[in-house]
Amino acid sequence: MASANIETIRRAYAGFADRDVAGILSAMHPDVEWVHPDGMEKYGLGGTKLGHTGIKEFLTRVPTVLGGMRLSPREFIEQGDRVVVFGTREVTSRSGKTATLDFVHSWTMRDGRATRMEDIFDTVVFHELIES
């Protein structure tokens, strides 16, 4: 049986799969830090976004640079207030090229919701896909 923290994170991934922003945000603390590699700043996707408003702005920006994305979390590891997720993302460029890329998501939890999510991935490969 998965812990409450892992179930919360699974709920967030279900929200991504369903394009349910309210479902995603239900797993996030109001003051959440949403962190993506600075190397994605060129596309308006890098750096730290704050709170639910920052996440909504990020999610609104994604379709302006990508044709689509599907996350497939594979493994959940929990230690204390941290949940680390290993998975893949299928990314489609605006030109229609698709690639599968690995990710690591590091989630920090407090009071049953995420206070920080850090997305770790190969930005070079991601840039090549966006620019294809």
Side-chain angles (χ1 to χ4, degrees):
M1 180 122 200
S3 73
N5 283 341
I6 289 176
E7 287 305 321
T8 297
I9 300 308
R10 287 183 194 269
R11 189 171 73 238
Y13 287 113
F16 283 112
D18 296 339
R19 291 184 164 77
D20 175 12
V21 174
I24 296 167
L25 296 179
S26 73
M28 308 295 157
H29 203 276
D31 63 356
V32 64
E33 294 178 328
W34 186 260
V35 183
H36 290 267
D38 289 336
M40 296 302 291
E41 187 59 40
K42 174 180 179 179
Y43 307 105
L45 301 176
T48 301
K49 313 301 186 236
L50 300 175
H52 289 190
T53 300
I55 292 174
K56 288 183 209 174
E57 290 169 357
F58 176 87
L59 294 173
T60 299
R61 177 75 181 141
V62 170
T64 69
V65 297
L66 293 174
M69 184 176 349
R70 189 177 75 210
L71 300 173
S72 297
R74 302 273 189 240
E75 183 178 1
F76 294 76
I77 300 172
E78 184 173 20
Q79 179 68 44
D81 66 352
R82 179 76 48 98
V83 176
V84 177
V85 179
F86 295 89
T88 58
R89 60 166 50 96
E90 184 177 286
V91 183
T92 303
S93 70
R94 301 220 358 120
S95 68
K97 182 179 178 185
T98 299
T100 300
L101 310 171
D102 293 327
F103 72 77
V104 176
H105 288 162
S106 175
W107 299 83
T108 304
M109 307 297 289
R110 184 176 78 227
D111 301 327
R113 293 194 280 173
T115 59
R116 180 179 173 88
M117 190 288 296
E118 184 172 359
D119 191 358
I120 303 160
F121 59 90
D122 185 340
T123 60
V124 172
V125 174
F126 215 103
H127 282 229
E128 290 171 356
L129 184 61
I130 290 172
E131 295 171 6
S132 66

